[in-house]
Amino acid sequence: MSVDSQVDTQDADLQLIDALARGELRIAARLITRIESGDSSVASILSKLHARGGNTTVLGVTGPPGAGKSTLVDRLLQQFRHRGQRVAVLAVDPSSPFSGGAILGDRIRMNQHSADEGVFIRSMAARGRLGGLAVAAGDALQVLDAMGWDLIVVETVGVGQSEIDILRHAHTVVIVQTPASGDAVQSVKAGLLEVGDIFVVNKADTAGADRMQSNLREATAFRADPHDPACWLPPVLKTQATYGSGIDAVIEAIDAHTHHRLTHPARWAQRLRAQMRVLLLEQLIDLQRRRTVEDPAHQQRFERALDEVLARRCDPHTAARKLLDASE
Amino acid sequence: MSQSPMPQSKIRCLLGMLGTDVHSKGIRTLAQLLRDRGVEVIYLGEHNTARGMINATIAEDADLVGLSFSTATYLHYTRDLMEQMRAAGLGDVPVMLGGLIHADDEPALREMGVRGIFGPGSTMDQIVAFLQSATGKTLPSGISASGA
Ligand SMILES: Nc1nc2c(ncn2[C@@H]2O[C@H](COP(=O)(O)OP(=O)(O)OP(=O)(O)O)[C@@H](O)[C@H]2O)c(=O)[nH]1
Ligand SMILES: [Mg+2]
């Protein structure tokens, strides 16, 4: 790259960041598209966004398919708008593993906000990229963060690991379940019991809501620490998102969690460090995988190593070490 | 893994109905068929306003907009949307229409700037061919050119 074109890139990046800060929606939307499609030319801008980022509170909402996440988000948006907050929503849906296509349907449930300038909703498909979803969603969140929204909400379907990984970008995590989810400990995906800050039993108008609520209370009781009276105990709430009941309590819980975070900075710093640690590790693994497996220059070496392992002339552990050394 | 490691530029298509039209079965089926061809469908359902569609087109960075009609009011709604899209600087985003569109109305719709018209009897292959030519993007091949 010549010095001139470096200067051009710098200028272009700064102009882009200015445009984001001014709230130019089309520019933001196009940048997110570039991120989604894996365009590597976004690297320099993302690096600048990171340097200035981390300003907007991110609320994560997850749960099984059809639990009522979008309907709940729609209700929460109503309340946030009521108190004058401007909100961006990132709605992540899985892609079809067969065609790579997707039906992104979260917006319909939030249609009442479709003409509201204070709400920005962007859908994103998983695109079946290994581990890439959480990274791409995290990058898209950086773009939204740079736009100066008062709050960012990210909705994901809690079915896979990468969806759970997205929650590492959130300050507050809401886990949505329904009475139909069955046994709490088994239905709440492993790991979610640990990361949830607020649990919601939605569709409380259907049978079994009380039982689900008490199951979840039991299942999260391990989070109480007798040596640490100030630790956050996730509340378990009931809602009927379609009818708008129970929403006030969810808002209160979100506020209380934010307050807890701000009044316990050391604890929050610890959690942030743990979240960032995993994100950095993921990036490292992603990079290494691309280097050793997907880069054509190294593919041959990888295939040869695979031959050696299959012929039992080399064990997988040693072969991996050699590949790693060779990719330096 | 069989998936390609290369970055992919998907076709992102907004699908929805304007006004009071409520016969969403056709458009839901179309959404599923397009997904099966590798399209990312942003599904807006029924009862949309032109303003809402335009905001969604911008936020979703949609490559094109598809509308479905089952009532005779489509000329009015389409003209309104096309005008508002142009005013919002979205005149370059292709618009296609499906549903109960009369052949007699096609010239008027084309005049308004509608790029694709798929009345009764249109095939998936025609729609898919239009999507690709209108967006300049290609869909993954090998997925059910015969199916659907
Ligand atoms: N009975 C009842 N139905 C509800 C409630 N909340 C949502 N639903 C319905 O549940 C269905 C799914 O709602 P969504 O909000 O789309 O659920 P979701 O979790 O966002 O779904 P995905 O994003 O597809 O995973 C819709 O038909 C809603 O009307 C509720 O409190 N009670
Ligand atoms: Mg949803």
Side-chain angles (χ1 to χ4, degrees), chain A residues 64-71 93 106 109 155 157 202-203 205-206 239-242:
Chain A
K69 300 176 293 294
S70 301
T71 313
D93 274 314
D106 297 315
R109 311 264 176 241
E155 174 187 334
V157 188
N202 188 43
K203 307 198 183 182
D205 50 311
T206 62
T239 58
Q240 301 177 25
T242 32

Side-chain angles (χ1 to χ4, degrees), chain A:
Chain A
M1 204 191 265
S2 73
V3 175
D4 271 1
S5 69
Q6 267 173 16
V7 171
D8 286 351
T9 314
Q10 291 290 338
D11 278 358
D13 283 356
L14 293 177
Q15 277 176 20
L16 198 55
I17 290 173
D18 277 348
L20 292 178
R22 282 196 308 273
E24 293 208 19
L25 303 180
R26 289 192 86 172
I27 289 182
R30 284 185 181 147
L31 185 55
I32 294 176
T33 304
R34 283 167 67 197
I35 288 168
E36 279 188 304
S37 58
D39 179 349
S40 56
S41 71
V42 295
S44 71
I45 180 107
L46 287 174
S47 139
K48 292 189 185 67
L49 290 181
H50 180 83
R52 305 150 204 242
N55 304 308
T56 320
T57 300
V58 178
L59 177 71
V61 177
T62 194
K69 300 176 293 294
S70 301
T71 313
L72 180 68
V73 169
D74 174 67
R75 292 293 182 176
L76 294 175
L77 282 175
Q78 241 175 349
Q79 305 262 344
F80 294 137
R81 291 300 292 139
H82 210 71
R83 44 188 203 195
Q85 289 177 289
R86 300 173 66 260
V87 190
V89 180
L90 184 69
V92 185
D93 274 314
S95 303
S96 153
F98 303 108
S99 69
I103 297 179
L104 307 168
D106 297 315
R107 285 190 87 93
I108 313 179
R109 311 264 176 241
M110 309 177 198
N111 236 349
Q112 61 167 317
H113 307 285
S114 66
D116 182 352
E117 305 286 325
V119 176
F120 180 84
I121 303 166
R122 173 62 181 238
S123 320
M124 198 166 175
R127 304 213 174 175
R129 261 185 281 133
L130 256 174
L133 174 62
V135 172
D139 291 346
L141 288 172
Q142 295 255 40
V143 174
L144 298 176
D145 179 59
M147 296 175 74
W149 300 99
D150 295 315
L151 180 72
I152 299 171
V153 180
V154 55
E155 174 187 334
T156 80
V157 188
V159 287
Q161 184 58 43
S162 63
E163 280 80 14
I164 293 173
D165 289 341
I166 293 176
L167 301 172
R168 286 190 224 286
H169 298 283
H171 297 79
T172 300
V173 173
V174 177
I175 311 271
V176 184
Q177 297 286 307
T178 68
S181 306
D183 178 52
V185 184
Q186 278 167 24
S187 69
V188 181
K189 190 141 168 97
L192 285 184
L193 284 175
E194 283 92 58
V195 303
D197 298 308
I198 298 163
F199 289 81
V200 170
V201 180
N202 188 43
K203 307 198 183 182
D205 50 311
T206 62
D210 289 330
R211 202 192 35 196
M212 188 63 187
Q213 186 181 35
S214 56
N215 281 352
L216 275 172
R217 285 212 173 107
E218 271 169 46
T220 52
F222 73 94
R223 301 265 302 262
D225 181 352
H227 304 295
D228 183 5
C231 82
W232 173 261
L233 257 185
V236 182
L237 308 167
K238 286 192 296 182
T239 58
Q240 301 177 25
T242 32
Y243 311 103
S245 77
I247 307 301
D248 288 351
V250 179
I251 294 276
E252 272 168 36
I254 292 168
D255 290 346
H257 186 257
T258 304
H259 182 256
H260 188 269
R261 166 165 65 86
L262 298 176
T263 48
H264 297 85
R267 204 181 295 252
W268 173 250
Q270 234 176 24
R271 167 162 159 179
L272 197 61
R273 193 174 178 84
Q275 288 178 325
M276 279 291 180
R277 177 187 304 276
V278 179
L279 290 176
L280 182 58
L281 259 173
E282 262 165 25
Q283 288 278 8
L284 195 65
I285 293 165
D286 195 52
L287 199 65
Q288 196 63 52
R289 192 189 63 239
R290 270 189 269 170
R291 268 201 194 157
T292 43
V293 187
E294 293 173 4
D295 179 352
H298 293 108
Q299 249 168 15
Q300 265 191 331
R301 194 167 20 221
F302 186 87
E303 292 301 322
R304 275 201 305 272
L306 184 59
D307 290 339
E308 294 295 296
V309 172
L310 279 168
R312 299 198 176 268
R313 283 190 294 268
C314 186
D315 66 281
H317 181 79
T318 309
R321 283 190 66 108
K322 282 187 184 163
L323 283 169
L324 210 61
D325 289 346
S327 73
E328 304 277 81

